[in-house]
Amino acid sequence: DAGVIQSPRHEVTEMGQEVTLRCKPISGHDYLFWYRQTMMRGLELLIYFNNNVPIDDSGMPEDRFSAKMPNASFSTLKIQPSEPRDSAVYFCASKRASGGRFNEQFFGPGTRLTVL
Amino acid sequence: RKEVEQDPGPFNVPEGATVAFNCTYSNSASQSFFWYRQDCRKEPKLLMSVYSSGNEDGRFTAQLNRASQYISLLIRDSKLSDSATYLCVVGHNDMRFGAGTRLTVKP
């Protein structure tokens, strides 16, 4: 079975440019999460969706960040305009349902973003 | 205060040693608890869930203390392949990760 798919795997861009990260969750999973990981701050939850609806976006750092989930098999995280401090690894994760052992999250390979 | 706090590490231990990691969480309503493992430049992967009664998987033992809002991971007879960062995860739908503890097992 395919796991969580993210693209691109690496992105290098210049400050001020728009960046779009993409994620395809595991089929049948109801929840989708976007995380950002840096050495200084660790793994931070940015936003998560349940059945394509954003539930909690309190972790989104500022208005330059936006996320959408137009259908159950696709989500995007957009940064516009990008800044050097946005450089990080961005992970997408999905899980099947709420509660108990089904709360296991499966992570994609991540997108390594560098903003020059 | 961070929602999930872990031992800062790093832990450097010889093969065969026993090592313990601790984690505290602030949200008493949390219902799900996990330990994840992350290898260098890879994504986090589930190591084991943590149940109220405690649970064991081979050389790994996890404990949960709800009253103290504390979870732990014990690794016995550590192997070189156990070298990784161990992440404590707490929550329900919104899973919060600790900063991770780096373990290096040396020959």
Side-chain angles (χ1 to χ4, degrees):
Chain A
D1 290 338
V4 176
I5 299 171
Q6 290 187 248
S7 65
R9 295 291 305 276
H10 300 273
E11 176 82 24
V12 180
T13 190
E14 293 188 345
M15 183 173 63
Q17 297 298 305
E18 178 179 295
V19 175
T20 299
L21 311 181
R22 297 173 176 81
C23 176
K24 177 178 169 55
I26 293 172
S27 178
H29 281 194
D30 299 322
Y31 290 82
L32 183 140
F33 303 80
W34 283 101
Y35 290 90
R36 176 174 69 176
Q37 187 172 39
T38 60
M39 288 292 293
M40 291 296 294
R41 301 174 70 90
L43 200 60
E44 301 174 278
L45 177 62
L46 300 178
I47 184 171
Y48 78 95
F49 297 82
N50 177 215
N51 292 325
N52 315 336
V53 176
I55 304 300
D56 184 354
D57 65 354
S58 60
M60 296 285 263
E62 48 197 273
D63 291 346
R64 298 184 297 107
F65 285 68
S66 62
K68 294 182 179 179
M69 191 165 185
N71 57 62
S73 59
F74 184 65
S75 177
T76 59
L77 178 68
K78 187 174 292 188
I79 308 172
Q80 167 62 19
S82 57
E83 297 182 3
R85 61 193 168 119
D86 301 330
S87 298
V89 179
Y90 290 81
F91 287 105
C92 176
S94 69
K95 74 180 179 82
R96 186 165 47 174
S98 173
R101 59 192 175 96
F102 297 114
N103 249 1
E104 177 186 354
Q105 288 181 308
F106 294 84
F107 281 76
T111 295
R112 186 170 297 274
L113 173 65
T114 303
V115 183
L116 302 174
Chain B
R1 181 186 173 191
K2 291 185 177 179
E3 292 187 56
V4 181
E5 300 213 44
Q6 289 186 243
D7 286 348
F11 284 62
N12 297 304
V13 302
E15 272 188 290
T18 295
V19 60
F21 303 138
N22 302 314
C23 173
T24 57
Y25 60 95
S26 60
N27 185 352
S28 59
S30 300
Q31 297 184 30
S32 299
F33 308 88
F34 302 93
W35 283 100
Y36 273 68
R37 169 190 169 132
Q38 186 174 24
D39 292 299
C40 188
R41 302 180 78 85
K42 297 287 190 180
E43 70 272 23
K45 292 185 178 179
L46 180 68
L47 177 66
M48 59 195 302
S49 302
V50 187
Y51 303 122
S52 296
S53 55
N55 48 299
E56 188 173 309
D57 182 3
R59 297 181 293 109
F60 299 83
T61 301
Q63 298 277 351
L64 167 64
N65 184 321
R66 285 187 182 270
S68 301
Q69 294 180 204
Y70 166 99
I71 69 174
S72 64
L73 176 69
L74 184 75
I75 305 175
R76 291 181 300 278
D77 188 24
S78 53
K79 312 291 185 189
L80 297 177
S81 58
D82 294 335
S83 297
T85 296
Y86 291 82
L87 300 159
C88 168
V89 188
V90 175
H92 185 49
N93 292 324
D94 58 331
M95 307 305 288
R96 305 289 173 169
F97 283 71
T101 302
R102 174 76 188 152
L103 171 67
T104 301
V105 181
K106 299 184 175 181

